[in-house]
Amino acid sequence: MDDKETLRVGAAVRRQRRSLGLTLAAVATRSGLSVPFLSQIENERARPSARSLDRVADALETTTERLRAAADSARAVDVVRGTPQDGDGVRRVVRGRHQLSALEFTGELDLGREFQHRNDEVLYVAEGAAEVEAEGQAYRLERGDTLFLSGGVRHRWRATAPGTRLLFVAVAEHIDATFDPRR
């Protein structure tokens, strides 16, 4: 792991600790590391050794590999070039494991199936036209139109014009963005 990669692990450590509802003191007790050192790791002011990162990962009920993978998603900038899609007309607009997922669909696609996602999603028609069925109602969308679907809404869609380009942006499936009024 290079220096930049090591520094980004701090944000992943903080996210994992918070997702478990642990304090720095609890992680310190579990890992045998000091609270100040853990704070420095989270704030990216200290670079943990491989052994220290193993101890932190164990304390956070995960692995160093998962922390490193989560650290990859902490990059602030990533350019995805508008290269041609695979033969199936689908292109990932955001790479890696982030809080958002984005896909571009090009062509006269009719996937012929219903979708239901855990989190919110937005469909934007960049070119052409599409028909979306959601909650038992059909929506005809044209260039520039946007459709919002809250998490859990069953829907299906199809492009209805040649050269249609649709952009889907959603809260990633691994993120629990559901609202719990008890929190």
PDB file of all heavy atoms in Angstrom, residues 89-119:
ATOM      1  N   GLY A  89     -24.653  -2.169 -24.552  1.00  0.00           N
ATOM      2  CA  GLY A  89     -25.207  -0.833 -24.435  1.00  0.00           C
ATOM      3  C   GLY A  89     -25.224  -0.271 -23.030  1.00  0.00           C
ATOM      4  O   GLY A  89     -25.920   0.698 -22.761  1.00  0.00           O
ATOM      5  N   VAL A  90     -24.459  -0.856 -22.111  1.00  0.00           N
ATOM      6  CA  VAL A  90     -24.422  -0.408 -20.722  1.00  0.00           C
ATOM      7  C   VAL A  90     -23.005   0.067 -20.391  1.00  0.00           C
ATOM      8  O   VAL A  90     -22.033  -0.598 -20.722  1.00  0.00           O
ATOM      9  CB  VAL A  90     -24.827  -1.546 -19.752  1.00  0.00           C
ATOM     10  CG1 VAL A  90     -24.772  -1.070 -18.316  1.00  0.00           C
ATOM     11  CG2 VAL A  90     -26.203  -2.076 -20.106  1.00  0.00           C
ATOM     12  N   ARG A  91     -22.922   1.225 -19.728  1.00  0.00           N
ATOM     13  CA  ARG A  91     -21.613   1.750 -19.325  1.00  0.00           C
ATOM     14  C   ARG A  91     -21.687   2.242 -17.894  1.00  0.00           C
ATOM     15  O   ARG A  91     -22.607   2.967 -17.517  1.00  0.00           O
ATOM     16  CB  ARG A  91     -21.228   2.921 -20.234  1.00  0.00           C
ATOM     17  CG  ARG A  91     -19.886   3.545 -19.898  1.00  0.00           C
ATOM     18  CD  ARG A  91     -19.489   4.587 -20.932  1.00  0.00           C
ATOM     19  NE  ARG A  91     -20.247   5.803 -20.786  1.00  0.00           N
ATOM     20  CZ  ARG A  91     -19.824   6.876 -20.090  1.00  0.00           C
ATOM     21  NH1 ARG A  91     -18.672   6.875 -19.500  1.00  0.00           N
ATOM     22  NH2 ARG A  91     -20.582   7.952 -20.010  1.00  0.00           N
ATOM     23  N   ARG A  92     -20.707   1.849 -17.083  1.00  0.00           N
ATOM     24  CA  ARG A  92     -20.592   2.365 -15.716  1.00  0.00           C
ATOM     25  C   ARG A  92     -20.066   3.788 -15.798  1.00  0.00           C
ATOM     26  O   ARG A  92     -19.069   4.056 -16.426  1.00  0.00           O
ATOM     27  CB  ARG A  92     -19.636   1.523 -14.882  1.00  0.00           C
ATOM     28  CG  ARG A  92     -20.195   0.177 -14.560  1.00  0.00           C
ATOM     29  CD  ARG A  92     -19.532  -0.409 -13.307  1.00  0.00           C
ATOM     30  NE  ARG A  92     -20.286  -1.562 -12.892  1.00  0.00           N
ATOM     31  CZ  ARG A  92     -21.388  -1.524 -12.155  1.00  0.00           C
ATOM     32  NH1 ARG A  92     -21.839  -0.392 -11.726  1.00  0.00           N
ATOM     33  NH2 ARG A  92     -22.023  -2.627 -11.834  1.00  0.00           N
ATOM     34  N   VAL A  93     -20.773   4.702 -15.147  1.00  0.00           N
ATOM     35  CA  VAL A  93     -20.382   6.104 -15.157  1.00  0.00           C
ATOM     36  C   VAL A  93     -19.549   6.423 -13.919  1.00  0.00           C
ATOM     37  O   VAL A  93     -18.767   7.362 -13.916  1.00  0.00           O
ATOM     38  CB  VAL A  93     -21.642   7.002 -15.240  1.00  0.00           C
ATOM     39  CG1 VAL A  93     -21.289   8.468 -15.239  1.00  0.00           C
ATOM     40  CG2 VAL A  93     -22.433   6.652 -16.493  1.00  0.00           C
ATOM     41  N   VAL A  94     -19.709   5.623 -12.872  1.00  0.00           N
ATOM     42  CA  VAL A  94     -18.923   5.761 -11.647  1.00  0.00           C
ATOM     43  C   VAL A  94     -18.257   4.419 -11.384  1.00  0.00           C
ATOM     44  O   VAL A  94     -18.924   3.392 -11.352  1.00  0.00           O
ATOM     45  CB  VAL A  94     -19.815   6.153 -10.438  1.00  0.00           C
ATOM     46  CG1 VAL A  94     -19.006   6.185  -9.158  1.00  0.00           C
ATOM     47  CG2 VAL A  94     -20.478   7.496 -10.682  1.00  0.00           C
ATOM     48  N   ARG A  95     -16.921   4.443 -11.227  1.00  0.00           N
ATOM     49  CA  ARG A  95     -16.187   3.212 -10.947  1.00  0.00           C
ATOM     50  C   ARG A  95     -16.061   2.998  -9.456  1.00  0.00           C
ATOM     51  O   ARG A  95     -16.045   3.950  -8.682  1.00  0.00           O
ATOM     52  CB  ARG A  95     -14.766   3.306 -11.507  1.00  0.00           C
ATOM     53  CG  ARG A  95     -14.643   3.130 -12.963  1.00  0.00           C
ATOM     54  CD  ARG A  95     -13.188   3.088 -13.324  1.00  0.00           C
ATOM     55  NE  ARG A  95     -12.613   4.421 -13.229  1.00  0.00           N
ATOM     56  CZ  ARG A  95     -12.000   5.034 -14.226  1.00  0.00           C
ATOM     57  NH1 ARG A  95     -11.847   4.439 -15.367  1.00  0.00           N
ATOM     58  NH2 ARG A  95     -11.518   6.245 -14.068  1.00  0.00           N
ATOM     59  N   GLY A  96     -15.923   1.750  -9.064  1.00  0.00           N
ATOM     60  CA  GLY A  96     -15.620   1.427  -7.680  1.00  0.00           C
ATOM     61  C   GLY A  96     -16.843   1.366  -6.806  1.00  0.00           C
ATOM     62  O   GLY A  96     -17.985   1.459  -7.250  1.00  0.00           O
ATOM     63  N   ARG A  97     -16.568   1.214  -5.536  1.00  0.00           N
ATOM     64  CA  ARG A  97     -17.628   1.071  -4.529  1.00  0.00           C
ATOM     65  C   ARG A  97     -17.778   2.401  -3.814  1.00  0.00           C
ATOM     66  O   ARG A  97     -16.985   2.755  -2.951  1.00  0.00           O
ATOM     67  CB  ARG A  97     -17.216  -0.041  -3.570  1.00  0.00           C
ATOM     68  CG  ARG A  97     -18.270  -0.434  -2.590  1.00  0.00           C
ATOM     69  CD  ARG A  97     -17.770  -1.640  -1.801  1.00  0.00           C
ATOM     70  NE  ARG A  97     -18.498  -1.840  -0.599  1.00  0.00           N
ATOM     71  CZ  ARG A  97     -19.476  -2.720  -0.458  1.00  0.00           C
ATOM     72  NH1 ARG A  97     -19.823  -3.477  -1.466  1.00  0.00           N
ATOM     73  NH2 ARG A  97     -20.091  -2.854   0.686  1.00  0.00           N
ATOM     74  N   HIS A  98     -18.794   3.140  -4.196  1.00  0.00           N
ATOM     75  CA  HIS A  98     -19.048   4.471  -3.646  1.00  0.00           C
ATOM     76  C   HIS A  98     -20.446   4.526  -3.057  1.00  0.00           C
ATOM     77  O   HIS A  98     -21.198   3.560  -3.117  1.00  0.00           O
ATOM     78  CB  HIS A  98     -18.921   5.530  -4.742  1.00  0.00           C
ATOM     79  CG  HIS A  98     -17.557   5.616  -5.322  1.00  0.00           C
ATOM     80  ND1 HIS A  98     -16.537   6.284  -4.717  1.00  0.00           N
ATOM     81  CD2 HIS A  98     -17.033   5.096  -6.454  1.00  0.00           C
ATOM     82  CE1 HIS A  98     -15.444   6.184  -5.451  1.00  0.00           C
ATOM     83  NE2 HIS A  98     -15.715   5.460  -6.512  1.00  0.00           N
ATOM     84  N   GLN A  99     -20.819   5.669  -2.554  1.00  0.00           N
ATOM     85  CA  GLN A  99     -22.162   5.840  -2.020  1.00  0.00           C
ATOM     86  C   GLN A  99     -23.187   5.973  -3.138  1.00  0.00           C
ATOM     87  O   GLN A  99     -24.371   5.750  -2.924  1.00  0.00           O
ATOM     88  CB  GLN A  99     -22.221   7.053  -1.095  1.00  0.00           C
ATOM     89  CG  GLN A  99     -21.432   6.839   0.174  1.00  0.00           C
ATOM     90  CD  GLN A  99     -21.540   8.014   1.115  1.00  0.00           C
ATOM     91  OE1 GLN A  99     -22.365   8.895   0.948  1.00  0.00           O
ATOM     92  NE2 GLN A  99     -20.703   8.027   2.127  1.00  0.00           N
ATOM     93  N   LEU A 100     -22.730   6.348  -4.321  1.00  0.00           N
ATOM     94  CA  LEU A 100     -23.610   6.457  -5.478  1.00  0.00           C
ATOM     95  C   LEU A 100     -23.214   5.426  -6.524  1.00  0.00           C
ATOM     96  O   LEU A 100     -22.040   5.098  -6.672  1.00  0.00           O
ATOM     97  CB  LEU A 100     -23.508   7.842  -6.117  1.00  0.00           C
ATOM     98  CG  LEU A 100     -24.110   8.997  -5.355  1.00  0.00           C
ATOM     99  CD1 LEU A 100     -23.879  10.298  -6.114  1.00  0.00           C
ATOM    100  CD2 LEU A 100     -25.591   8.791  -5.123  1.00  0.00           C
ATOM    101  N   SER A 101     -24.205   4.977  -7.254  1.00  0.00           N
ATOM    102  CA  SER A 101     -23.997   4.095  -8.389  1.00  0.00           C
ATOM    103  C   SER A 101     -24.588   4.813  -9.588  1.00  0.00           C
ATOM    104  O   SER A 101     -25.642   5.445  -9.476  1.00  0.00           O
ATOM    105  CB  SER A 101     -24.731   2.772  -8.139  1.00  0.00           C
ATOM    106  OG  SER A 101     -24.721   1.978  -9.299  1.00  0.00           O
ATOM    107  N   ALA A 102     -23.929   4.745 -10.739  1.00  0.00           N
ATOM    108  CA  ALA A 102     -24.456   5.406 -11.929  1.00  0.00           C
ATOM    109  C   ALA A 102     -24.169   4.563 -13.160  1.00  0.00           C
ATOM    110  O   ALA A 102     -23.046   4.094 -13.346  1.00  0.00           O
ATOM    111  CB  ALA A 102     -23.853   6.799 -12.083  1.00  0.00           C
ATOM    112  N   LEU A 103     -25.202   4.365 -13.967  1.00  0.00           N
ATOM    113  CA  LEU A 103     -25.093   3.597 -15.201  1.00  0.00           C
ATOM    114  C   LEU A 103     -25.708   4.388 -16.344  1.00  0.00           C
ATOM    115  O   LEU A 103     -26.709   5.087 -16.162  1.00  0.00           O
ATOM    116  CB  LEU A 103     -25.838   2.264 -15.087  1.00  0.00           C
ATOM    117  CG  LEU A 103     -25.328   1.254 -14.079  1.00  0.00           C
ATOM    118  CD1 LEU A 103     -26.305   0.087 -13.972  1.00  0.00           C
ATOM    119  CD2 LEU A 103     -23.952   0.749 -14.473  1.00  0.00           C
ATOM    120  N   GLU A 104     -25.112   4.258 -17.530  1.00  0.00           N
ATOM    121  CA  GLU A 104     -25.674   4.848 -18.734  1.00  0.00           C
ATOM    122  C   GLU A 104     -26.091   3.704 -19.646  1.00  0.00           C
ATOM    123  O   GLU A 104     -25.321   2.780 -19.890  1.00  0.00           O
ATOM    124  CB  GLU A 104     -24.642   5.722 -19.444  1.00  0.00           C
ATOM    125  CG  GLU A 104     -25.165   6.333 -20.721  1.00  0.00           C
ATOM    126  CD  GLU A 104     -24.096   7.096 -21.474  1.00  0.00           C
ATOM    127  OE1 GLU A 104     -23.025   6.513 -21.745  1.00  0.00           O
ATOM    128  OE2 GLU A 104     -24.338   8.266 -21.800  1.00  0.00           O
ATOM    129  N   PHE A 105     -27.337   3.767 -20.124  1.00  0.00           N
ATOM    130  CA  PHE A 105     -27.850   2.782 -21.062  1.00  0.00           C
ATOM    131  C   PHE A 105     -28.041   3.481 -22.402  1.00  0.00           C
ATOM    132  O   PHE A 105     -28.648   4.551 -22.461  1.00  0.00           O
ATOM    133  CB  PHE A 105     -29.190   2.219 -20.582  1.00  0.00           C
ATOM    134  CG  PHE A 105     -29.073   1.389 -19.337  1.00  0.00           C
ATOM    135  CD1 PHE A 105     -29.130   1.975 -18.089  1.00  0.00           C
ATOM    136  CD2 PHE A 105     -28.909   0.013 -19.419  1.00  0.00           C
ATOM    137  CE1 PHE A 105     -29.020   1.220 -16.935  1.00  0.00           C
ATOM    138  CE2 PHE A 105     -28.793  -0.756 -18.264  1.00  0.00           C
ATOM    139  CZ  PHE A 105     -28.853  -0.153 -17.029  1.00  0.00           C
ATOM    140  N   THR A 106     -27.540   2.868 -23.474  1.00  0.00           N
ATOM    141  CA  THR A 106     -27.647   3.458 -24.803  1.00  0.00           C
ATOM    142  C   THR A 106     -28.291   2.463 -25.751  1.00  0.00           C
ATOM    143  O   THR A 106     -27.954   1.282 -25.747  1.00  0.00           O
ATOM    144  CB  THR A 106     -26.253   3.851 -25.340  1.00  0.00           C
ATOM    145  OG1 THR A 106     -25.664   4.774 -24.421  1.00  0.00           O
ATOM    146  CG2 THR A 106     -26.345   4.495 -26.701  1.00  0.00           C
ATOM    147  N   GLY A 107     -29.208   2.966 -26.568  1.00  0.00           N
ATOM    148  CA  GLY A 107     -29.843   2.126 -27.578  1.00  0.00           C
ATOM    149  C   GLY A 107     -31.284   1.835 -27.243  1.00  0.00           C
ATOM    150  O   GLY A 107     -31.830   2.321 -26.256  1.00  0.00           O
ATOM    151  N   GLU A 108     -31.893   1.035 -28.073  1.00  0.00           N
ATOM    152  CA  GLU A 108     -33.292   0.677 -27.885  1.00  0.00           C
ATOM    153  C   GLU A 108     -33.382  -0.552 -26.999  1.00  0.00           C
ATOM    154  O   GLU A 108     -33.631  -1.653 -27.469  1.00  0.00           O
ATOM    155  CB  GLU A 108     -33.958   0.439 -29.234  1.00  0.00           C
ATOM    156  CG  GLU A 108     -34.030   1.705 -30.068  1.00  0.00           C
ATOM    157  CD  GLU A 108     -34.731   1.477 -31.377  1.00  0.00           C
ATOM    158  OE1 GLU A 108     -35.910   1.115 -31.353  1.00  0.00           O
ATOM    159  OE2 GLU A 108     -34.075   1.663 -32.405  1.00  0.00           O
ATOM    160  N   LEU A 109     -33.152  -0.365 -25.737  1.00  0.00           N
ATOM    161  CA  LEU A 109     -33.137  -1.468 -24.787  1.00  0.00           C
ATOM    162  C   LEU A 109     -34.513  -1.706 -24.194  1.00  0.00           C
ATOM    163  O   LEU A 109     -35.232  -0.773 -23.874  1.00  0.00           O
ATOM    164  CB  LEU A 109     -32.147  -1.177 -23.654  1.00  0.00           C
ATOM    165  CG  LEU A 109     -30.694  -0.988 -24.052  1.00  0.00           C
ATOM    166  CD1 LEU A 109     -29.883  -0.529 -22.854  1.00  0.00           C
ATOM    167  CD2 LEU A 109     -30.123  -2.282 -24.592  1.00  0.00           C
ATOM    168  N   ASP A 110     -34.843  -2.950 -24.042  1.00  0.00           N
ATOM    169  CA  ASP A 110     -36.036  -3.349 -23.302  1.00  0.00           C
ATOM    170  C   ASP A 110     -35.601  -4.571 -22.516  1.00  0.00           C
ATOM    171  O   ASP A 110     -35.535  -5.677 -23.050  1.00  0.00           O
ATOM    172  CB  ASP A 110     -37.198  -3.681 -24.231  1.00  0.00           C
ATOM    173  CG  ASP A 110     -38.473  -4.028 -23.460  1.00  0.00           C
ATOM    174  OD1 ASP A 110     -38.411  -4.143 -22.214  1.00  0.00           O
ATOM    175  OD2 ASP A 110     -39.518  -4.189 -24.096  1.00  0.00           O
ATOM    176  N   LEU A 111     -35.233  -4.361 -21.273  1.00  0.00           N
ATOM    177  CA  LEU A 111     -34.698  -5.454 -20.471  1.00  0.00           C
ATOM    178  C   LEU A 111     -35.780  -6.451 -20.076  1.00  0.00           C
ATOM    179  O   LEU A 111     -35.473  -7.540 -19.612  1.00  0.00           O
ATOM    180  CB  LEU A 111     -33.975  -4.912 -19.238  1.00  0.00           C
ATOM    181  CG  LEU A 111     -32.813  -3.968 -19.558  1.00  0.00           C
ATOM    182  CD1 LEU A 111     -32.159  -3.476 -18.284  1.00  0.00           C
ATOM    183  CD2 LEU A 111     -31.790  -4.632 -20.452  1.00  0.00           C
ATOM    184  N   GLY A 112     -37.040  -6.078 -20.258  1.00  0.00           N
ATOM    185  CA  GLY A 112     -38.140  -6.997 -20.051  1.00  0.00           C
ATOM    186  C   GLY A 112     -38.282  -7.532 -18.635  1.00  0.00           C
ATOM    187  O   GLY A 112     -38.840  -8.597 -18.434  1.00  0.00           O
ATOM    188  N   ARG A 113     -37.780  -6.822 -17.663  1.00  0.00           N
ATOM    189  CA  ARG A 113     -37.928  -7.285 -16.287  1.00  0.00           C
ATOM    190  C   ARG A 113     -38.224  -6.119 -15.365  1.00  0.00           C
ATOM    191  O   ARG A 113     -37.972  -4.966 -15.702  1.00  0.00           O
ATOM    192  CB  ARG A 113     -36.699  -8.055 -15.823  1.00  0.00           C
ATOM    193  CG  ARG A 113     -35.420  -7.258 -15.816  1.00  0.00           C
ATOM    194  CD  ARG A 113     -34.265  -8.091 -15.336  1.00  0.00           C
ATOM    195  NE  ARG A 113     -33.954  -7.718 -13.969  1.00  0.00           N
ATOM    196  CZ  ARG A 113     -32.732  -7.651 -13.477  1.00  0.00           C
ATOM    197  NH1 ARG A 113     -31.723  -8.007 -14.200  1.00  0.00           N
ATOM    198  NH2 ARG A 113     -32.536  -7.284 -12.243  1.00  0.00           N
ATOM    199  N   GLU A 114     -38.720  -6.461 -14.206  1.00  0.00           N
ATOM    200  CA  GLU A 114     -39.049  -5.460 -13.201  1.00  0.00           C
ATOM    201  C   GLU A 114     -37.879  -5.322 -12.232  1.00  0.00           C
ATOM    202  O   GLU A 114     -37.217  -6.297 -11.923  1.00  0.00           O
ATOM    203  CB  GLU A 114     -40.301  -5.921 -12.450  1.00  0.00           C
ATOM    204  CG  GLU A 114     -40.867  -4.889 -11.530  1.00  0.00           C
ATOM    205  CD  GLU A 114     -42.185  -5.353 -10.929  1.00  0.00           C
ATOM    206  OE1 GLU A 114     -42.166  -6.280 -10.104  1.00  0.00           O
ATOM    207  OE2 GLU A 114     -43.214  -4.782 -11.306  1.00  0.00           O
ATOM    208  N   PHE A 115     -37.666  -4.090 -11.771  1.00  0.00           N
ATOM    209  CA  PHE A 115     -36.589  -3.807 -10.825  1.00  0.00           C
ATOM    210  C   PHE A 115     -37.185  -3.268  -9.527  1.00  0.00           C
ATOM    211  O   PHE A 115     -38.220  -2.611  -9.535  1.00  0.00           O
ATOM    212  CB  PHE A 115     -35.623  -2.762 -11.389  1.00  0.00           C
ATOM    213  CG  PHE A 115     -34.927  -3.201 -12.631  1.00  0.00           C
ATOM    214  CD1 PHE A 115     -35.473  -2.928 -13.874  1.00  0.00           C
ATOM    215  CD2 PHE A 115     -33.741  -3.903 -12.565  1.00  0.00           C
ATOM    216  CE1 PHE A 115     -34.843  -3.335 -15.031  1.00  0.00           C
ATOM    217  CE2 PHE A 115     -33.089  -4.313 -13.710  1.00  0.00           C
ATOM    218  CZ  PHE A 115     -33.646  -4.027 -14.947  1.00  0.00           C
ATOM    219  N   GLN A 116     -36.499  -3.516  -8.440  1.00  0.00           N
ATOM    220  CA  GLN A 116     -36.851  -2.914  -7.153  1.00  0.00           C
ATOM    221  C   GLN A 116     -35.545  -2.739  -6.398  1.00  0.00           C
ATOM    222  O   GLN A 116     -34.871  -3.714  -6.089  1.00  0.00           O
ATOM    223  CB  GLN A 116     -37.800  -3.798  -6.361  1.00  0.00           C
ATOM    224  CG  GLN A 116     -38.223  -3.168  -5.045  1.00  0.00           C
ATOM    225  CD  GLN A 116     -39.210  -4.047  -4.280  1.00  0.00           C
ATOM    226  OE1 GLN A 116     -39.245  -5.252  -4.460  1.00  0.00           O
ATOM    227  NE2 GLN A 116     -39.993  -3.422  -3.429  1.00  0.00           N
ATOM    228  N   HIS A 117     -35.183  -1.488  -6.144  1.00  0.00           N
ATOM    229  CA  HIS A 117     -33.922  -1.192  -5.476  1.00  0.00           C
ATOM    230  C   HIS A 117     -34.166  -0.749  -4.045  1.00  0.00           C
ATOM    231  O   HIS A 117     -35.191  -0.149  -3.735  1.00  0.00           O
ATOM    232  CB  HIS A 117     -33.150  -0.111  -6.245  1.00  0.00           C
ATOM    233  CG  HIS A 117     -32.928  -0.475  -7.673  1.00  0.00           C
ATOM    234  ND1 HIS A 117     -32.069  -1.468  -8.064  1.00  0.00           N
ATOM    235  CD2 HIS A 117     -33.490   0.009  -8.804  1.00  0.00           C
ATOM    236  CE1 HIS A 117     -32.087  -1.579  -9.379  1.00  0.00           C
ATOM    237  NE2 HIS A 117     -32.950  -0.688  -9.856  1.00  0.00           N
ATOM    238  N   ARG A 118     -33.213  -1.021  -3.216  1.00  0.00           N
ATOM    239  CA  ARG A 118     -33.300  -0.706  -1.794  1.00  0.00           C
ATOM    240  C   ARG A 118     -33.341   0.801  -1.539  1.00  0.00           C
ATOM    241  O   ARG A 118     -34.005   1.273  -0.628  1.00  0.00           O
ATOM    242  CB  ARG A 118     -32.086  -1.352  -1.131  1.00  0.00           C
ATOM    243  CG  ARG A 118     -31.820  -0.967   0.268  1.00  0.00           C
ATOM    244  CD  ARG A 118     -30.581  -1.699   0.722  1.00  0.00           C
ATOM    245  NE  ARG A 118     -30.157  -1.244   2.016  1.00  0.00           N
ATOM    246  CZ  ARG A 118     -29.311  -1.881   2.767  1.00  0.00           C
ATOM    247  NH1 ARG A 118     -28.783  -3.008   2.366  1.00  0.00           N
ATOM    248  NH2 ARG A 118     -28.971  -1.411   3.920  1.00  0.00           N
ATOM    249  N   ASN A 119     -32.617   1.550  -2.358  1.00  0.00           N
ATOM    250  CA  ASN A 119     -32.444   2.987  -2.121  1.00  0.00           C
ATOM    251  C   ASN A 119     -33.008   3.825  -3.257  1.00  0.00           C
ATOM    252  O   ASN A 119     -33.401   3.311  -4.300  1.00  0.00           O
ATOM    253  CB  ASN A 119     -30.955   3.295  -1.919  1.00  0.00           C
ATOM    254  CG  ASN A 119     -30.396   2.630  -0.684  1.00  0.00           C
ATOM    255  OD1 ASN A 119     -31.029   2.645   0.366  1.00  0.00           O
ATOM    256  ND2 ASN A 119     -29.226   2.032  -0.779  1.00  0.00           N
TER     257      ASN A 119
END
